[in-house]
Amino acid sequence: GAVVSQHPSWVICKSGTSVKIECRSLDFQATTMFWYRQFPKQSLMLMATSNEGSKATYEQGVEKDKFLINHASLTLSTLTVTSAHPEDSSFYICSAQGLAASYNEQFFGPGTRLTVL
Amino acid sequence: GNSVTQMEGPVTLSEEAFLTINCTYTATGYPSLFWYVQYPGEGLQLLLKATKADDKGSNKGFEATYRKETTSFHLEKGSVQVSDSAVYFCALSDNVNKFYFGSGTKLNVKP
């Protein structure tokens, strides 16, 4: 099946620094990638949708200047958490939808746990 | 708006027991419904799906039926195994391709 990887799997950073998380589709081309955030014991919340070569679409309440998303190629999207603060600590999960997939099938990465000290 | 509610865990069962994880949804329009499973240290994997009312999704002994009248999509398995231990997420997708997830239910199966 389709495989999506994320890097790093976990990261610890100091408050005020920026952190970049990569999401890659390993064996298929992803026209659309999605970024989710998951708090402990809570649902995955969609943060933004990114299409290759265009600007990401952010969900209401998500700060686009804080969570920078780039989808520069059909196999890579990046999420940069700028000037991270402890409240940004969370589990970030990406998913990717391929060219040949049905419109409602997404393949998920294993997630990245961010801890901001 | 769209939302998914699923039973809180953890659910602890003995091997070969019957499993039910309840899931109900609220949606405008006619969503597709999904169950995803997340094994420790791995990403979410699609377990099964149903795209219209009365459809039954099934995979690996798990099944769920799209019940529009009760807005439910309960997950069932007749005989669980230790290897089924994981977190299970119920989700819906609307016609604009957005997913809405439940909070997840952790299943522990003891030998």
Side-chain angles (χ1 to χ4, degrees):
Chain A
V3 179
V4 176
S5 70
Q6 283 185 238
H7 178 79
S9 55
W10 60 270
V11 56
I12 301 173
C13 70
K14 292 182 179 180
S15 186
T17 60
S18 295
V19 174
K20 180 185 285 188
I21 302 170
E22 293 184 348
C23 176
R24 293 181 185 274
S25 56
L26 298 185
D27 51 1
F28 68 101
Q29 293 183 320
T31 50
T32 307
M33 288 186 170
F34 305 83
W35 286 96
Y36 296 84
R37 183 174 180 177
Q38 184 181 27
F39 291 102
K41 298 183 179 180
Q42 293 189 28
S43 300
L44 280 72
M45 302 297 294
L46 180 64
M47 300 174 64
T49 302
S50 73
N51 293 294
E52 186 265 338
S54 62
K55 290 184 178 181
T57 302
Y58 290 81
E59 295 300 300
Q60 191 172 9
V62 178
E63 299 176 60
K64 54 184 70 174
D65 292 333
K66 180 163 192 64
F67 298 100
L68 300 178
I69 292 173
N70 183 279
H71 192 167
S73 77
L74 285 172
T75 58
L76 173 64
S77 176
T78 59
L79 167 68
T80 301
V81 183
T82 61
S83 186
H85 291 282
E87 58 267 28
D88 299 323
S89 298
S90 192
F91 194 56
Y92 293 88
I93 300 174
C94 73
S95 70
Q97 181 172 318
L99 285 169
S102 59
Y103 83 98
N104 57 2
E105 182 156 12
Q106 297 180 19
F107 301 97
F108 288 82
T112 297
R113 184 162 302 284
L114 169 64
T115 302
V116 184
L117 302 176
Chain B
N2 297 324
S3 67
V4 175
T5 303
Q6 62 181 102
M7 61 188 290
E8 287 190 25
V11 173
T12 301
L13 296 173
S14 297
E15 205 164 22
E16 299 183 2
F18 185 86
L19 169 71
T20 299
I21 300 178
N22 290 337
C23 172
T24 57
Y25 67 91
T26 303
T28 54
Y30 303 96
S32 295
L33 302 175
F34 304 80
W35 277 99
Y36 283 86
V37 58
Q38 184 176 35
Y39 298 102
E42 298 183 16
L44 274 70
Q45 300 175 25
L46 178 63
L47 180 59
L48 53 85
K49 67 178 181 182
T51 58
K52 62 183 187 296
D54 298 326
D55 269 3
K56 178 186 283 187
S58 62
N59 185 27
K60 300 181 181 179
F62 291 90
E63 59 182 35
T65 302
Y66 189 142
R67 302 283 189 201
K68 190 178 179 196
E69 63 276 14
T70 54
T71 62
S72 65
F73 193 54
H74 304 321
L75 182 68
E76 297 182 335
K77 186 174 185 181
S79 176
V80 293
Q81 305 300 313
V82 173
S83 57
D84 294 327
S85 297
V87 180
Y88 293 81
F89 291 90
C90 184
L92 72 81
S93 175
D94 61 15
N95 291 333
V96 293
N97 205 25
K98 288 187 178 180
F99 272 71
Y100 301 83
F101 286 87
S103 56
T105 302
K106 186 172 184 179
L107 171 64
N108 294 317
V109 181
K110 296 185 175 181

